């Protein structure tokens, strides 16, 4: 296994669209939300064990989730768990991880990925990552993986690519579009040169640090100044102070949409970003009338179809006359809403917080 290959797992989000199962104190990446016997972050970690040595895998997460990471990934050392004192989107997260790795190994080639994605074809995923790592090691480029779209989904970002390639299969990126309207998404699908943005990035340490210097110079300076303290006892204190000076910006907007050396690898490995209950419903096993029930031991349904049900395993639940609904119970909270209105869950969470405080959030 190549000692220059590294992985950064981003695990700092709160997953509010999966409320009430995903809470700010225990978000979705630490939950077995698919009923597989492993949490999402455990699945992600095990995938990357096939790509790089386990000591080369890092998790960046909110400070409050440190114990969760340690309990679910017990093989990780304290130096591999990078904690953020506040949410500042993905650019500071990526900068922290990549600067720290570069201080250990200037020849590092790094894959950065979210902790909460579903990958159905792991062999195809590993193959794509390894090809991208090899290309990033030999070219001055920033690589992202693009998923061949199966439908005009308005919940995903889209990336348009050109015919110009490196290593045959890596296409130069032309445009980024975030969550288009349905009509625009349909035109993207018809054009044939758009891919879903999977939010998985591959680059050499040198290429990404150079990009930070060019496109986010103030952030580059913040984490470059920390070089003397990386992998020392002073790292956490220094970084936590430095984070207060970081702007809130995504790596997509801060660098990927601006850089002129971005390439995309068209991929197909059964990907889902698990961003909504609809994505869980699509992946879950269903009965003959389209009901997906996790777990299903004590749920009885009469004259009900196409429902997404997730309730505590010990609770007896009877549903009658429910069609196309989401029914979720957790943490002394019950949510019932039409499946086509699940985009309102984030607003519901905000309303609950305003009315009852953080107790239920």
């Amino acid at each position: 296994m190549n000692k220059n290959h590294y992985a950064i797992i981003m695990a700092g989000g709160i997953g509010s669209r999966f409320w009430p199962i995903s809470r700010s104190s225990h978000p979705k990446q630490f939950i077995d939300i698919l009923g597989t016997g492993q949490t999402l972050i455990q699945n992600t970690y095990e995938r990357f064990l096939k790509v790089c040595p386990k000591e080369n895998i890092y998790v960046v997460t909110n400070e409050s989730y440190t114990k969760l990471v340690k309990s679910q990934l017990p093989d990780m050392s304290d130096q591999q768990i990078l904690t953020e004192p506040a949410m500042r989107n993905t650019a500071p997260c990526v900068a922290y991880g990549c600067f720290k790795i570069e201080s250990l190994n200037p020849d590092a080639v790094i894959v950065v990925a979210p902790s909460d994605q579903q990958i159905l074809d792991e062999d195809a995923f590993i193959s794509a990552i390894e090809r991208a790592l090899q290309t990033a090691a030999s070219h001055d480029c920033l690589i992202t993986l693009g998923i061949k779209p199966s439908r005009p989904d308005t919940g995903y970002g889209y990336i348009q690519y050109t015919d110009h390639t490196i290593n045959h299969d890596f296409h130069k990126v032309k445009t980024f579009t975030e969550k288009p309207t349905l009509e625009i998404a349909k035109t993207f699908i018809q054009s044939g040169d758009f891919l879903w943005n999977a939010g998985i990035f591959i680059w050499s340490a040198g290429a990404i640090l150079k990009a930070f210097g060019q496109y986010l110079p103030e952030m580059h300076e913040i984490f470059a100044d920390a070089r003397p303290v990386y992998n020392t006892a002073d790292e956490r204190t220094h970084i936590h102070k430095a984070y207060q000076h970081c702007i809130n910006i995504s790596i997509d907007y801060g660098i990927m949409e601006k850089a002129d050396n971005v390439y995309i690898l068209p991929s197909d490995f059964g990907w889902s970003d698990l961003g909504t209950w609809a994505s869980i419903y699509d992946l879950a096993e269903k009965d003959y009338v389209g009901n997906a029930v996790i777990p299903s031991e004590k749920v009885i349904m009469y004259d009900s179809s196409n429902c997404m049900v997730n309730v505590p395993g010990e609770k007896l639940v009877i549903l009658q006359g429910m069609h196309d609904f989401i029914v979720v119970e957790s943490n002394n909270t019950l949510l019932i809403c039409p499946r086509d209105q699940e985009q309102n869950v984030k607003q519901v969470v905000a309303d609950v917080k305003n009315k009852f405080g953080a107790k239920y959030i």
Side-chain angles (χ1 to χ4, degrees):
M1 194 168 284
N2 194 320
K3 62 181 178 60
N4 290 333
H5 289 176
Y6 289 77
I8 296 172
I9 300 172
M10 298 182 290
I14 61 174
S16 60
R17 286 179 292 181
F18 281 103
W19 182 85
I21 282 182
S22 180
R23 298 292 186 97
S24 57
S25 61
H26 199 106
K28 67 173 179 176
Q29 60 267 31
F30 302 108
I31 299 172
D32 178 13
I33 205 161
L34 292 169
T36 65
Q38 283 193 313
T39 66
L40 297 179
I41 195 172
Q42 287 172 329
N43 284 330
T44 304
Y45 177 78
E46 291 203 353
R47 277 196 292 273
F48 284 121
L49 286 174
K50 302 173 184 177
V51 174
C52 58
K54 70 176 184 178
E55 62 269 19
N56 288 7
I57 302 176
Y58 291 80
V59 170
V60 185
T61 191
N62 190 278
E63 182 181 20
S64 60
Y65 303 145
T66 305
K67 289 183 179 179
L68 282 170
V69 174
K70 287 183 176 181
S71 65
Q72 295 195 6
L73 304 176
D75 285 349
M76 298 201 81
S77 69
D78 289 347
Q79 281 294 333
Q80 291 170 273
I81 303 172
L82 315 186
T83 62
E84 302 174 289
M87 288 190 290
R88 289 289 189 272
N89 217 313
T90 53
C93 159
V94 170
Y96 181 15
C98 290
F99 267 96
K100 179 181 171 78
I101 289 170
E102 187 265 351
S103 72
L104 288 169
N105 182 358
D107 297 322
V109 191
I110 306 163
V111 53
V112 180
S115 59
D116 52 3
Q117 297 184 335
Q118 170 76 346
I119 307 295
L120 296 179
D121 188 344
E122 289 206 352
D123 289 341
F125 175 78
I126 299 304
S127 175
I129 294 294
E130 289 180 339
R131 289 166 61 200
L133 286 166
Q134 291 167 5
T135 300
S138 56
H139 293 78
D140 179 22
C141 61
L142 309 176
I143 296 171
T144 184
L145 299 188
I147 308 301
K148 297 173 183 177
S150 58
R151 61 188 182 277
D153 198 303
T154 60
Y156 294 151
Y158 288 73
I159 300 175
Q160 185 182 24
Y161 61 92
T162 71
D163 291 333
H164 175 70
T165 62
I166 55 175
N167 275 14
H168 306 295
D169 298 324
F170 294 80
H171 292 257
K172 190 171 180 61
V173 168
K174 185 177 181 180
T175 63
F176 286 79
T177 303
E178 182 66 21
K179 297 181 180 178
T181 65
L182 181 59
E183 289 306 312
I184 293 176
K186 287 178 179 177
T187 65
F188 287 173
I189 301 297
Q190 291 167 358
S191 72
D193 58 354
F194 282 83
L195 300 168
W196 284 336
N197 184 355
I200 300 170
F201 310 105
I202 302 94
W203 41 52
S204 68
I208 188 60
L209 265 57
K210 184 171 73 173
F212 270 101
Q214 185 172 354
Y215 301 105
L216 292 173
E218 292 181 358
M219 194 173 294
H220 179 279
E221 183 178 353
I222 288 170
F223 290 98
D225 286 347
R227 278 196 172 105
V229 302
Y230 288 128
N231 307 295
T232 73
D234 297 326
E235 177 182 324
R236 180 184 172 278
T237 300
H238 183 103
I239 293 297
H240 281 215
K241 288 181 180 178
Y243 248 77
Q244 308 306 320
H245 302 289
C246 289
I247 59 172
N248 188 324
I249 191 170
S250 70
I251 192 69
D252 299 75
Y253 186 73
I255 290 179
M256 300 300 282
E257 294 182 20
K258 298 179 173 64
D260 60 3
N261 61 335
V262 178
Y263 289 79
I264 191 166
L265 176 64
S267 307
D268 186 6
F269 39 73
W271 170 89
S272 172
D273 75 340
L274 300 184
T276 64
W277 281 114
S279 62
I280 301 296
Y281 177 82
D282 289 342
L283 290 165
E285 291 187 14
K286 304 172 188 67
D287 64 18
Y288 70 101
V289 289
N291 294 313
V293 184
I294 307 173
S296 59
E297 289 84 356
K298 293 185 178 180
V299 177
I300 303 174
M301 305 186 74
Y302 300 98
D303 183 30
S304 298
S305 63
N306 302 317
C307 289
M308 174 72 241
V309 182
N310 190 310
V311 293
E314 70 280 1
K315 175 154 287 192
L316 175 61
V317 176
I318 295 91
L319 300 177
Q320 182 164 358
M322 302 284 286
H323 303 280
D324 298 289
F325 268 79
I326 296 169
V327 180
V328 183
E329 182 183 353
S330 183
N331 302 300
N332 202 30
T333 303
L334 174 64
L335 171 71
I336 302 172
C337 77
R339 279 177 50 210
D340 63 1
Q341 295 180 33
E342 70 165 353
Q343 67 272 16
N344 296 331
V345 171
K346 291 188 79 170
Q347 183 59 50
V348 169
V349 172
D351 293 342
V352 169
K353 186 175 183 179
N354 286 336
K355 190 167 185 177
F356 301 107
K359 176 182 178 182
Y360 295 99
I361 307 302

